[in-house]
């Protein structure tokens, strides 16, 4: 009789010895949405994240990157909703594209709020950044880390832009954010919202005169080949990227895998930010060599644009949150 409990215990132990390794080796694959491919820093950030996660999990966790917003049929403004509903597991996303669902993200699109890279860091790496992440979390997506798409510069096919008066009447393609419409309308332009897939054909035919994008996009997408002969470095807004995860997916992961996923995102973001910033000078040289006329605003010219767009703050500060805007401005002033 005493042998039976021992036999039962031995059987249980043996059973565990066969099943535990199988459980430990369980593999999972997750979709990762991004708007641009790995020809651009944005897509490279997603690929770096996938690479680090695969290495650090010994291949147990796989992040499959889907560029060109293909998981939302090219409509990048639907990405956040698709993530929240579970159609997308993860994303490396633009603050602009998520701003319709998370109003606080419009902070980064306020014209001429951030004059330099140190100003971006003052927001993202401080208390303001933590509050923005809390707002994203509250809306149903788990934010993990920051990346960077860069300052958006203005190009056109008509003439150099040195002052607000030079923008008047220009037909400019902008992303799907009402704040962008307000900024360019305030400057007297005729802004038109359209996806990037539609923008290049419209630039080619002359249906629109100009566009605004980071230098990396202007360079890799060869925007100079579709009539964009004039480029103004005005740094009117910057576009941080966000590494995010669907809440249900996040909660399904054990704590160790959550830590792994987040640290990999932090490291991929830091790698991409440093890489993209270091490449800016070389990128600008390449653009100039193609015959693009580049205008760099003087402090006085820059201030004229700041003054001309001041009323945008009156409308948008209450929508973003007056306290958040004031905190961001204070952080920038103290940088």
């Amino acid at each position: 009789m005493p042998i039976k409990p021992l036999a039962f215990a031995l059987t249980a132990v043996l059973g565990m010895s066969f099943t535990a390794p199988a459980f430990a080796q369980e593999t999972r694959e997750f979709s990762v949405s991004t708007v641009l491919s790995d020809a651009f820093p944005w897509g490279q950030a997603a690929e770096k994240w996938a690479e680090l996660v695969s290495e650090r999990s010994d291949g147990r966790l796989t992040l499959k990157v889907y560029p060109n917003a293909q998981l939302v049929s090219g409509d990048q403004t639907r990405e956040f909703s698709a993530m929240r509903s579970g159609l997308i597991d993860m994303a490396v996303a633009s603050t602009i594209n998520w701003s319709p669902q998370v109003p606080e993200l419009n902070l980064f699109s306020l014209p001429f709020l951030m004059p330099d890279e140190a100003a971006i860091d003052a927001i993202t790496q401080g208390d303001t950044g933590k509050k923005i992440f809390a707002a994203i979390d509250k809306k149903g997506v788990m934010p993990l880390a920051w990346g960077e798409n860069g300052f958006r510069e203005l190009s056109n096919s008509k003439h150099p832009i040195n002052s607000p008066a030079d923008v008047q009447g220009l037909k400019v393609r902008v992303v799907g954010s009402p704040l962008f419409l307000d900024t360019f309308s305030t400057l007297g332009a005729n802004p038109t919202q359209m996806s990037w897939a539609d923008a290049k054909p419209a630039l080619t035919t002359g249906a629109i005169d100009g566009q605004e994008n980071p230098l990396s996009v202007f360079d890799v997408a060869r925007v100079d080949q579709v009539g964009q002969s004039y480029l103004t470095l005005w740094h009117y807004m910057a576009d941080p990227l966000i590494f995010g995860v669907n809440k249900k997916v996040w909660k399904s992961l054990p704590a160790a895998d959550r830590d792994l996923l987040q640290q990999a995102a932090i490291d991929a973001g830091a790698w991409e930010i440093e890489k993209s910033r270091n490449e800016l000078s070389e990128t600008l040289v390449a653009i100039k060599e193609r015959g693009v006329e580049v205008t760099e605003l003087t402090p006085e010219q820059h201030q004229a644009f700041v003054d001309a767009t001041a009323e945008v703050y009156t409308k948008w500060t209450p929508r973003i949150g007056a306290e958040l805007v004031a905190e961001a401005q204070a952080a920038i002033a103290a940088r």
Side-chain angles (χ1 to χ4, degrees):
M1 294 295 293
I3 298 176
K4 290 183 178 179
L6 177 61
F8 178 80
L10 182 61
T11 301
V13 170
L14 289 173
M16 288 178 63
S17 70
F18 283 101
T19 58
F23 178 78
Q25 295 302 314
E26 179 187 7
T27 60
R28 296 183 68 179
E29 180 176 297
F30 303 100
S31 60
V32 180
S33 175
T34 185
V35 171
L36 296 179
S37 72
D38 60 5
F40 304 84
W42 187 341
Q44 291 164 14
E47 292 291 352
K48 188 67 173 180
W49 189 21
E51 175 190 320
L52 293 177
V53 168
S54 179
E55 287 178 357
R56 296 174 185 181
S57 69
D58 294 324
R60 284 189 306 104
L61 304 178
T62 299
L63 307 189
K64 184 172 176 57
V65 179
Y66 293 86
N68 304 316
Q70 58 184 285
L71 296 179
V72 284
S73 303
D75 185 356
Q76 54 217 56
T77 59
R78 289 175 44 215
E79 186 179 67
F80 189 86
S81 298
M83 278 193 74
R84 190 165 51 188
S85 66
L87 295 176
I88 296 173
D89 298 324
M90 305 179 189
V92 179
S94 161
T95 56
I96 300 169
N97 295 334
W98 286 8
S99 64
Q101 291 82 27
V102 187
E104 290 85 352
L105 290 175
N106 285 293
L107 174 74
F108 297 103
S109 299
L110 285 172
F112 306 102
L113 173 67
M114 297 164 287
D116 51 34
E117 291 164 349
I120 302 173
D121 296 340
I123 295 177
T124 59
Q125 305 306 313
D127 290 339
T128 309
K130 292 176 183 177
K131 289 181 180 178
I132 291 171
F133 268 20
I136 296 170
D137 187 357
K138 188 176 180 180
K139 290 290 185 177
V141 170
M142 183 66 191
L144 302 184
W146 295 98
E148 189 167 286
N149 196 27
F151 281 102
R152 299 178 77 91
E153 316 294 9
L154 180 62
S155 71
N156 81 99
S157 61
K158 298 296 185 182
H159 51 245
I161 293 174
N162 297 287
S163 70
D166 296 328
V167 182
Q168 291 181 10
L170 286 179
K171 295 173 288 185
V172 181
R173 175 266 176 181
V174 296
V175 295
S177 164
L179 200 162
F180 282 71
L181 287 175
D182 287 344
T183 296
F184 279 90
S185 294
T186 299
L187 289 170
N190 296 318
T192 301
Q193 287 183 346
M194 63 177 65
S195 69
W196 184 240
D198 295 330
K200 287 196 74 175
L203 289 166
T204 301
T205 62
I208 54 176
D209 303 317
Q211 61 86 48
E212 47 77 55
N213 255 309
L215 289 181
S216 62
V217 176
F218 188 99
D219 176 45
V220 177
R222 291 305 305 269
V223 182
D224 56 289
Q225 293 182 334
V226 288
Q228 298 297 284
S229 301
Y230 305 96
L231 176 64
T232 299
L233 306 183
W234 65 341
H235 276 35
Y236 89 113
M237 60 85 61
D239 181 20
L241 301 174
I242 297 169
F243 293 72
V245 183
N246 166 272
K247 277 289 192 70
K248 186 175 181 180
V249 169
W250 183 250
K251 291 176 181 177
S252 75
L253 294 168
D257 284 347
R258 290 186 195 178
D259 292 343
L260 184 156
L261 196 66
Q262 181 160 27
Q263 190 58 53
I266 292 170
D267 294 343
W271 172 85
E272 183 268 337
I273 289 170
E274 181 179 14
K275 182 176 185 291
S276 60
R277 290 180 181 180
N278 288 341
E279 291 173 349
L280 283 175
S281 296
E282 183 180 336
T283 298
L284 188 58
V285 169
I287 291 171
K288 289 179 178 179
E289 287 178 347
R290 294 178 198 143
V292 176
E293 184 175 331
V294 177
T295 299
E296 299 188 47
L297 300 180
T298 66
E300 293 76 21
Q301 290 172 330
H302 182 271
Q303 187 60 45
F305 280 100
V306 173
D307 296 340
T309 54
E311 66 183 67
V312 176
Y313 282 72
T314 303
K315 179 177 180 178
W316 280 91
T317 295
R319 298 184 183 188
I320 297 167
E323 184 178 332
L324 189 69
V325 172
E327 184 177 281
Q329 291 171 325
I332 292 169
R335 73 189 186 285

